[in-house]
Amino acid sequence: MKKIESIRGNLIVSCQALPDEPLHSSFIMGRMAVAAQEGGAAGIRANTYNDIVEIKKMIDLPVIGIVKRDYNDSSVYITATMKEIDELVKAKADIIALDATNNIRPKGKSLESFFNSIKTKYPDQLLMADCSTIEECIFADKLGFDFIGTTLVGYTEQSKTIKIEANDFEFIRKTIDNVSHPVIAEGNIDTPEKAKRILELGCYSVVVGSIITRPQIITKRFVSTITANY
């Protein structure tokens, strides 16, 4: 747990690139993680067994691991089944994050059933709940997730109207007030000032991704602003 303690009050950088993105490569994600470490990141969030194995070869920071995989019978795609859990345990992810929304998992499995199955098979594995609503955060907290994440706010049908930064991060304030486990903020945190404010509010850690590790998105923001008045 000493290694995990190091992420408290610090920045976690999400190093991910999907198959249709220009930086999709375990080699590149490994170097991206090195760059994040050199910049002062205290942890990494990464997707897929291969990327995590490569990242762990390159750096010695805690890794939050996920596997994104689509299933025909469910909208859940972040670490949706035991297959993904097994891959992440094998990759030695320090924390495994999974979709903790109220959406049904593949083969009709509920979150509670899935959580209990994981804990039975891997009782010592640290788990992070990727949630999209306050109610989901509270339920995940009661189940016993080690970390509660705001990762999916705005990305599910039930959370489309929620804005994570509205009214000085009201969603995060409510989450912290209603759960007992540490809260890791993630999603739409695109400035250093926002990240700092979130930690000041009491979050355990803050995850920042696209604005650091997806150059095509960063470039698009610059171009959109430059051309806005033309």
Side-chain angles (χ1 to χ4, degrees):
M1 284 297 293
K2 185 177 181 181
K3 187 176 183 181
I4 302 302
E5 182 71 18
S6 66
I7 66 175
R8 182 194 290 270
N10 284 314
L11 173 69
I12 298 168
V13 173
S14 181
C15 297
Q16 299 181 45
L18 297 174
D20 62 343
E21 296 183 70
L23 298 188
H24 179 65
S25 159
S26 295
F27 173 85
I28 293 174
M29 289 302 104
R31 274 56 184 179
M32 188 76 77
V34 172
Q37 182 181 45
E38 290 185 1
I44 301 295
R45 179 165 164 128
N47 172 38
T48 76
Y49 170 85
N50 289 336
D51 282 13
I52 293 167
V53 169
E54 179 65 21
I55 286 168
K56 282 186 154 291
K57 286 179 184 175
M58 302 301 300
I59 62 168
D60 185 28
L61 294 177
V63 173
I64 300 175
I66 63 172
V67 175
K68 292 179 177 177
R69 186 171 285 139
D70 292 323
Y71 285 88
N72 293 330
D73 61 343
S74 174
S75 62
V76 171
Y77 67 98
I78 297 178
T79 319
T81 74
M82 192 61 74
K83 177 181 179 180
E84 288 78 38
I85 296 291
D86 290 340
E87 291 173 13
L88 292 167
V89 170
K90 185 179 179 183
K92 298 182 179 179
D94 299 279
I95 301 169
I96 291 177
L98 58 139
D99 182 308
T101 67
N102 60 19
N103 298 322
I104 298 298
R105 267 126 278 275
K107 296 184 179 179
K109 205 173 186 74
S110 69
L111 174 62
E112 183 171 7
S113 175
F114 186 37
F115 177 85
N116 291 335
S117 296
I118 298 169
K119 280 300 182 182
T120 297
K121 191 170 185 179
Y122 302 111
D124 298 324
Q125 177 63 56
L126 295 174
L127 299 176
M128 174 177 168
D130 286 349
C131 302
S132 70
T133 68
I134 295 294
E135 293 75 19
E136 290 167 354
C137 290
I138 293 171
F139 185 66
D141 183 61
K142 289 179 178 177
L143 283 179
F145 276 86
D146 300 283
F147 300 94
I148 308 300
T150 62
T151 317
L152 293 173
V153 175
Y155 294 99
T156 62
E157 285 296 326
Q158 60 268 34
S159 69
K160 280 186 175 179
T161 61
I162 300 174
K163 292 185 178 180
I164 200 168
E165 60 208 65
N167 300 318
D168 194 22
F169 302 99
E170 181 182 2
F171 182 92
I172 289 172
R173 288 173 179 272
K174 287 182 178 179
T175 301
I176 293 171
D177 288 343
N178 284 282
V179 303
S180 59
H181 290 90
V183 174
I184 296 180
E186 181 174 4
N188 300 309
I189 303 163
D190 56 3
T191 69
E193 291 75 21
K194 288 180 183 179
K196 181 181 180 182
R197 181 57 181 155
I198 283 169
L199 292 173
E200 289 173 347
L201 291 174
C203 280
Y204 192 84
S205 306
V206 57
V207 177
V208 178
S210 296
I211 201 63
I212 295 176
T213 57
R214 282 190 164 102
Q216 72 274 24
I217 292 176
I218 303 166
T219 303
K220 187 175 181 180
R221 288 185 63 172
F222 273 86
V223 173
S224 295
T225 299
I226 290 170
T227 60
N229 297 320
Y230 287 92

